[in-house]
Structure formats: C-alpha cells, structure tokens
Amino acid sequence: MPYVNIRITREGATAEQKARLIKGTTDLLQEVLGKNPHTTFVVIDEVDLENWGVGGLPVEAYRREQGR
Amino acid sequence: MPYVNIRITREGATAEQKARLIKGTTDLLQEVLGKNPHTTFVVIDEVDLENWGVGGLPVEAYRREQGR
Amino acid sequence: MPYVNIRITREGATAEQKARLIKGTTDLLQEVLGKNPHTTFVVIDEVDLENWGVGGLPVEAYRREQGR
Amino acid sequence: MPYVNIRITREGATAEQKARLIKGTTDLLQEVLGKNPHTTFVVIDEVDLENWGVGGLPVEAYRREQGR
Amino acid sequence: MPYVNIRITREGATAEQKARLIKGTTDLLQEVLGKNPHTTFVVIDEVDLENWGVGGLPVEAYRREQGR
Amino acid sequence: MPYVNIRITREGATAEQKARLIKGTTDLLQEVLGKNPHTTFVVIDEVDLENWGVGGLPVEAYRREQGR
C-alpha cells in the first residue's frame, strides 16, 4: 500500500500528463515490488514558482542566473 | 508536540468539518499518548481530484471504473 | 481515500497505542467526512528527540529550559 | 526540479529494487514533463509495519482480517 | 542534496520574504553541513487558516481564545 | 506556527549540527515573518543513502558518476 507524493512546480501540467504520472508510478511499484495498484496512492502537488527555491534563489531567478 | 498532516481530496469539506478533524485528532493524541494540545499541530491539505490517483487512475476515473 | 501522517517524538509509543491512533483517526475521517476506512491510510513517523526542535532548541533542551 | 517521496512498508526491499524505483520515477518525469534528471530527487521512506494503518488497523492485522 | 519543506499559514508572505526564507535556509545548510546550494531545494507551502489547527482549534479560533 | 521539515542524507550529522539547523531555521522564520519560536517546529529526517536518488541513481552511484 504505497503512498507516493510527486511535487513539481506549477507550470501547466495537463490532466492527461498527470494521469500518465499516476499510471506510470503505480505500474512501476507493481513491477518492482509487486504492490497492488488498488492500494497505491499517488498525490501530485503543484507548487507556485515563487515558493520553490534552488541554489538559494526562487526558481525563476535561478533559471535566469543559469542562462536557461 | 505532534504534527499531523491530513490529506484529503478537495470535495467541499466545510470549515466546521475541518474544525472537527482538528479537534478529534488533537483529542486522540492527548488520550492515547498524553500529548499537550497546545503543542499539537494539525494541517489539512485538500488535493484537487485530478492530482490524486489510486489504482493507476485519477480518482474520478477510478470511481467510474469501480461503478461508484 | 485520505492519507494521514502522524509525526511524534520517539519516546516509547507501544504497538497498542499506535493501533489506537490508527483506529481513532480512521474512525474520525469516516464520521466527519464519510471516508471509507478501506481506503484510509495512516502512517506514523517516530522522530528521534535530537531531530525535533521547538523554540529554537532540540526537544530535550527545550523541556529543560521550560522547567518541565 | 521535481521532488518525489515514495513511502512503502519496510518489508525487505533491496538496494537494487530501490535503485529501480529511483530510475523509473526519474525517467517517467523526464518523459512526461521533460524534467531534468539532474534536478529530480527521489526519496524512499520505509515504514515499520506497526506504523502503517489501513482499514483502521495496523497493516499486519488488516492483512489477516482480509485473509491475505 | 537537502530538501526543505517550510509550511506556514497563508497570511500574505511576499515574494521577497519567501526569497529570504529560501536564501537563509540554503545558506544555513551550506554553513552547518557543507551542502551544495545547487542541490538544495526549499519548498514553501502556504496553508489556509481554516486548514491549520493548534490547541484543538483552527488557528483563528485559537488566537481569539489566547487573547492574541 | 510554522512547521519545517529538513530532509538530508544520513552521513553523520552530529547532535550539535542538528541543533544549529534547528536554531538557524527558527531564527530565520522569526526575522523574516515574525513567527514565534515557541510555536515553530523543525523536524530533521536523515535518509539512508540507498534511499535517496538524484539523476536517476542512488546518491552514491550518482557521486561516483559525477567524479566527486
């Protein structure tokens, strides 16, 4: 009965993409550990860009600094 | 000083219902482990349906498949 | 299909006490929100005292300071 | 820069199986959302059986009750 | 490669304040443990007041009761 | 009443270092947002190396690959 929490920045992931994340993660746990999909939860959190930091900076500032 | 995180699908839980979850959880920790309510935090996260998966499907698709 | 995470300091909670936390939380979610116990997960994390801080201090130092 | 937390019961997952979970989740996020593997973290938590509840019972009691 | 999750009540923290939390936490992990800022993630969750409980009450009711 | 969760790899952080993380984080939240230290929790999770992945690999394999 795994619980998986996927946290990503909120940048327009579609319902279809999120469904693929749910399906892919659940399949993976079944293949690798034999976990029952019916007791596998996958919860996706989308986090506003100004609330996610890396390199000591909010994500957008970090990307600018990295020239990406 | 417990920290409790309750994650539910976002389906219209009212402020009154959430207050009951907070009260009930805090009382439970006091009764079972003698924890001081003043240092017991309860945080409720409401998760959009398309962000919660079970059985390899987003919740609404799962419920349809289960005939519920 | 709620997911509840209860985090407490590791101070000898027994299996019986943890079973009561699991039962009490699950019942509460059923009573307040009608959640199905069979899709309610409760996960308890026990955290070493030196890894839990409050008031800017590890828990044991904090308790000494508070004269408890 | 996703962060993924996989929580499973502690029942002997091997280092090789955990490496497959890490690889599979990272690949999935790259395929579905184009996320850079070098900024994708996957953290696995293994939880003692008496600390994981479902159906209002610790996992082992629940499995006995379900005849599994 | 630390992951830090800061959860606060949603009460108008500005982007500038959140950037200071990200910077301060990242610097702290570098100073104390030598962690590389480029692999340090800081994620801030802002939680609605009615979803955060302390003392068995939602935060606003608790503050009123405490005369603050 | 913030709750901060710091997750690091388990590589011998001392009690003194963890106390500094607790103090530094609590001070930061007081300075930036005026949060009361007595209702600020900081919880540190130390994660086994084989349970932490980055770049699609467990941490130790990743470091070897990066030549660090």
Side-chain angles (χ1 to χ4, degrees):
Chain A
M1 46 204 63
Y3 169 80
V4 180
N5 184 211
I6 299 175
R7 311 202 90 188
I8 53 175
T9 42
R10 191 190 305 282
E11 300 183 81
T14 64
E16 187 270 340
Q17 288 172 319
K18 292 189 275 193
R20 285 173 63 197
L21 292 179
I22 288 167
K23 180 72 165 66
T25 309
T26 305
D27 286 353
L28 181 69
L29 281 153
Q30 186 173 30
E31 288 161 22
V32 176
L33 295 175
K35 297 296 185 184
N36 182 349
H38 291 279
T39 51
T40 297
F41 291 177
V42 180
V43 176
I44 300 166
D45 294 328
E46 297 174 272
V47 176
D48 290 343
L49 287 170
E50 73 181 34
N51 287 13
W52 194 300
V54 60
L57 293 170
V59 144
E60 289 180 301
Y62 182 75
R63 286 176 181 162
R64 279 194 302 273
E65 202 193 63
Q66 298 288 310
R68 284 182 250 158
Chain B
M1 48 204 62
Y3 170 80
V4 181
N5 184 211
I6 299 176
R7 310 202 90 188
I8 53 175
T9 43
R10 192 190 306 281
E11 301 183 79
T14 65
E16 187 271 341
Q17 288 173 320
K18 292 189 275 194
R20 286 172 62 196
L21 292 180
I22 289 167
K23 179 74 165 63
T25 308
T26 306
D27 287 353
L28 182 69
L29 281 153
Q30 186 173 30
E31 288 162 22
V32 176
L33 294 175
K35 297 296 185 186
N36 182 349
H38 291 279
T39 51
T40 298
F41 291 177
V42 181
V43 177
I44 299 167
D45 294 329
E46 296 174 271
V47 176
D48 291 344
L49 287 170
E50 73 182 35
N51 287 13
W52 194 299
V54 60
L57 293 169
V59 145
E60 289 181 300
Y62 183 76
R63 286 177 182 161
R64 279 195 300 275
E65 201 193 63
Q66 298 288 310
R68 284 181 250 156
Chain C
M1 47 204 62
Y3 170 80
V4 180
N5 184 212
I6 299 175
R7 311 203 91 189
I8 53 175
T9 43
R10 191 189 307 281
E11 300 182 81
T14 64
E16 187 270 340
Q17 287 172 320
K18 292 188 275 194
R20 285 173 62 197
L21 292 180
I22 288 166
K23 180 72 164 66
T25 308
T26 306
D27 286 353
L28 182 69
L29 281 154
Q30 186 173 31
E31 288 161 23
V32 176
L33 295 175
K35 297 296 185 184
N36 182 349
H38 291 279
T39 51
T40 297
F41 290 177
V42 180
V43 176
I44 300 167
D45 294 329
E46 296 173 272
V47 177
D48 290 343
L49 287 170
E50 73 182 34
N51 286 12
W52 195 299
V54 59
L57 293 170
V59 145
E60 289 180 301
Y62 182 75
R63 287 177 182 161
R64 279 195 300 274
E65 202 193 63
Q66 299 287 310
R68 282 182 253 158
Chain D
M1 46 206 62
Y3 170 81
V4 180
N5 184 213
I6 299 176
R7 310 202 90 190
I8 53 174
T9 42
R10 191 189 307 281
E11 302 182 80
T14 64
E16 187 270 339
Q17 288 173 318
K18 291 188 276 195
R20 286 173 63 197
L21 292 180
I22 288 166
K23 180 73 165 66
T25 309
T26 306
D27 286 354
L28 181 69
L29 281 153
Q30 187 173 29
E31 288 161 22
V32 176
L33 295 174
K35 298 295 184 185
N36 182 349
H38 291 279
T39 51
T40 297
F41 290 177
V42 180
V43 177
I44 300 168
D45 294 328
E46 297 174 272
V47 176
D48 290 343
L49 287 170
E50 72 181 34
N51 286 13
W52 195 300
V54 59
L57 292 169
V59 144
E60 289 181 300
Y62 182 75
R63 286 176 181 163
R64 279 195 300 275
E65 201 192 64
Q66 300 288 310
R68 284 182 251 158
Chain E
M1 45 204 62
Y3 170 81
V4 181
N5 183 212
I6 299 176
R7 311 202 90 189
I8 53 175
T9 42
R10 190 190 306 281
E11 302 183 79
T14 65
E16 187 271 340
Q17 288 173 319
K18 291 188 277 194
R20 286 173 62 198
L21 292 180
I22 288 166
K23 180 73 165 66
T25 308
T26 306
D27 286 353
L28 182 69
L29 281 153
Q30 187 172 31
E31 288 162 21
V32 176
L33 295 174
K35 297 296 185 185
N36 182 348
H38 291 278
T39 50
T40 297
F41 291 177
V42 181
V43 177
I44 300 167
D45 294 328
E46 296 174 90
V47 176
D48 291 343
L49 287 171
E50 72 181 35
N51 286 14
W52 194 300
V54 60
L57 292 169
V59 144
E60 289 181 300
Y62 182 75
R63 287 176 181 162
R64 279 195 300 275
E65 201 193 63
Q66 299 287 310
R68 284 182 250 159
Chain F
M1 47 204 64
Y3 170 81
V4 180
N5 183 212
I6 299 174
R7 310 201 90 188
I8 53 175
T9 42
R10 191 190 306 282
E11 300 183 81
T14 64
E16 187 270 340
Q17 287 172 320
K18 292 188 275 193
R20 285 173 63 196
L21 292 179
I22 288 166
K23 180 73 165 65
T25 309
T26 306
D27 286 353
L28 181 69
L29 282 153
Q30 187 173 30
E31 287 161 23
V32 176
L33 294 175
K35 297 296 186 185
N36 182 349
H38 291 279
T39 51
T40 297
F41 290 176
V42 181
V43 176
I44 300 166
D45 294 328
E46 297 173 272
V47 176
D48 291 343
L49 287 170
E50 73 181 34
N51 287 12
W52 195 300
V54 60
L57 293 169
V59 145
E60 289 181 300
Y62 182 75
R63 287 177 182 162
R64 278 195 301 274
E65 202 193 62
Q66 299 288 311
R68 283 182 250 158

